[in-house]
Amino acid sequence: MKKKIFILLSFSILLFSPNLVLSDCLDLGGFTSWKVEGDHTILFYRQNSPMAKVNLKGCTVTASSTVSLTKSYVCNSDSLVVDGQECAIMTITSASSQ
Protein backbone atom coordinates (compact mmCIF):
# COMPACT_ATOMS: atom_id res chain seq x y z
CA MET A 1 0.00 0.00 0.00
CA LYS A 2 2.83 2.42 0.86
CA LYS A 3 4.50 1.66 -2.47
CA LYS A 4 1.32 2.58 -4.38
CA ILE A 5 1.01 5.86 -2.46
CA PHE A 6 4.65 6.69 -3.14
CA ILE A 7 4.25 5.99 -6.86
CA LEU A 8 1.06 8.06 -7.02
CA LEU A 9 2.68 10.94 -5.14
CA SER A 10 5.76 10.84 -7.37
CA PHE A 11 3.64 10.85 -10.51
CA SER A 12 1.59 13.77 -9.17
CA ILE A 13 4.74 15.83 -8.51
CA LEU A 14 6.01 15.11 -12.01
CA LEU A 15 2.65 15.96 -13.56
CA PHE A 16 2.02 19.22 -11.70
CA SER A 17 5.53 20.65 -11.54
CA PRO A 18 7.59 19.27 -14.45
CA ASN A 19 9.95 22.27 -14.50
CA LEU A 20 10.97 21.60 -10.92
CA VAL A 21 11.52 17.88 -11.45
CA LEU A 22 12.93 17.91 -14.99
CA SER A 23 14.88 21.17 -15.05
CA ASP A 24 18.36 20.99 -16.48
CA CYS A 25 21.20 22.27 -14.32
CA LEU A 26 24.90 22.51 -15.10
CA ASP A 27 28.04 23.82 -13.46
CA LEU A 28 29.41 26.56 -15.73
CA GLY A 29 31.92 27.84 -13.18
CA GLY A 30 34.87 26.44 -15.14
CA PHE A 31 34.06 27.99 -18.51
CA THR A 32 37.00 29.62 -20.24
CA SER A 33 35.28 31.09 -23.29
CA TRP A 34 31.96 31.40 -25.05
CA LYS A 35 30.61 31.80 -28.56
CA VAL A 36 27.39 33.33 -29.87
CA GLU A 37 25.03 31.05 -31.80
CA GLY A 38 22.19 33.24 -33.05
CA ASP A 39 20.84 36.29 -31.23
CA HIS A 40 19.76 34.54 -28.03
CA THR A 41 22.04 31.50 -27.70
CA ILE A 42 25.47 31.15 -26.09
CA LEU A 43 27.73 28.12 -26.31
CA PHE A 44 30.08 27.89 -23.30
CA TYR A 45 33.48 26.20 -23.60
CA ARG A 46 36.02 24.75 -21.18
CA GLN A 47 39.35 25.00 -22.99
CA ASN A 48 38.43 23.80 -26.51
CA SER A 49 35.53 21.55 -25.49
CA PRO A 50 31.92 22.76 -25.54
CA MET A 51 30.28 22.54 -22.11
CA ALA A 52 26.76 23.88 -22.48
CA LYS A 53 24.32 25.60 -24.75
CA VAL A 54 22.24 28.35 -23.13
CA ASN A 55 19.15 29.94 -24.70
CA LEU A 56 18.20 33.31 -23.24
CA LYS A 57 14.86 35.05 -22.95
CA GLY A 58 14.59 38.74 -23.74
CA CYS A 59 18.28 39.47 -24.31
CA THR A 60 20.28 39.78 -27.47
CA VAL A 61 23.88 38.57 -27.43
CA THR A 62 26.55 39.67 -29.90
CA ALA A 63 30.18 38.66 -30.33
CA SER A 64 31.24 41.90 -28.60
CA SER A 65 28.96 41.37 -25.57
CA THR A 66 30.28 40.83 -22.07
CA VAL A 67 28.86 37.74 -20.37
CA SER A 68 29.13 36.86 -16.68
CA LEU A 69 27.47 34.34 -14.40
CA THR A 70 25.37 35.25 -11.36
CA LYS A 71 26.36 31.87 -9.86
CA SER A 72 28.40 28.94 -11.12
CA TYR A 73 25.71 26.22 -10.93
CA VAL A 74 22.84 27.37 -13.16
CA CYS A 75 19.49 25.85 -14.08
CA ASN A 76 16.62 26.63 -16.41
CA SER A 77 14.92 29.85 -15.22
CA ASP A 78 18.11 31.12 -13.53
CA SER A 79 19.86 34.13 -15.02
CA LEU A 80 23.20 35.42 -16.24
CA VAL A 81 24.41 38.93 -17.05
CA VAL A 82 24.84 40.10 -20.65
CA ASP A 83 26.17 43.63 -21.18
CA GLY A 84 25.17 44.59 -17.63
CA GLN A 85 21.59 43.34 -18.06
CA GLU A 86 20.29 40.32 -16.17
CA CYS A 87 18.92 37.77 -18.66
CA ALA A 88 16.70 34.78 -17.88
CA ILE A 89 17.86 31.37 -19.03
CA MET A 90 15.10 29.66 -21.00
CA THR A 91 16.97 26.40 -21.50
CA ILE A 92 20.38 25.05 -20.64
CA THR A 93 21.62 21.81 -22.16
CA SER A 94 24.85 19.95 -21.88
CA ALA A 95 26.96 20.15 -25.03
CA SER A 96 27.57 16.41 -24.77
CA SER A 97 23.81 15.75 -25.16
CA GLN A 98 23.56 17.65 -28.48
Side-chain angles (χ1 to χ4, degrees):
M1 179 67 177
K2 287 184 180 182
K3 185 177 180 180
K4 288 181 182 181
I5 292 173
F6 176 74
I7 292 171
L8 182 61
L9 181 63
S10 298
F11 181 72
S12 298
I13 290 171
L14 178 63
L15 182 65
F16 293 112
S17 59
N19 290 339
L20 178 64
V21 177
L22 299 175
S23 66
D24 290 328
C25 299
L26 293 170
D27 185 6
L28 296 180
F31 87 92
T32 56
S33 62
W34 55 272
K35 176 183 164 188
V36 176
E37 270 191 5
D39 291 340
H40 307 287
T41 304
I42 303 172
L43 190 57
F44 286 91
Y45 288 86
R46 178 177 292 130
Q47 304 302 337
N48 294 328
S49 301
M51 294 173 59
K53 187 175 191 176
V54 176
N55 293 312
L56 302 175
K57 178 181 181 180
C59 290
T60 301
V61 185
T62 65
S64 62
S65 293
T66 57
V67 176
S68 59
L69 302 174
T70 56
K71 57 185 182 176
S72 62
Y73 191 77
V74 294
C75 300
N76 292 342
S77 75
D78 281 342
S79 61
L80 52 83
V81 179
V82 176
D83 296 329
Q85 178 185 357
E86 195 165 316
C87 302
I89 298 173
M90 295 237 344
T91 58
I92 182 169
T93 54
S94 174
S96 62
S97 67
Q98 297 176 17

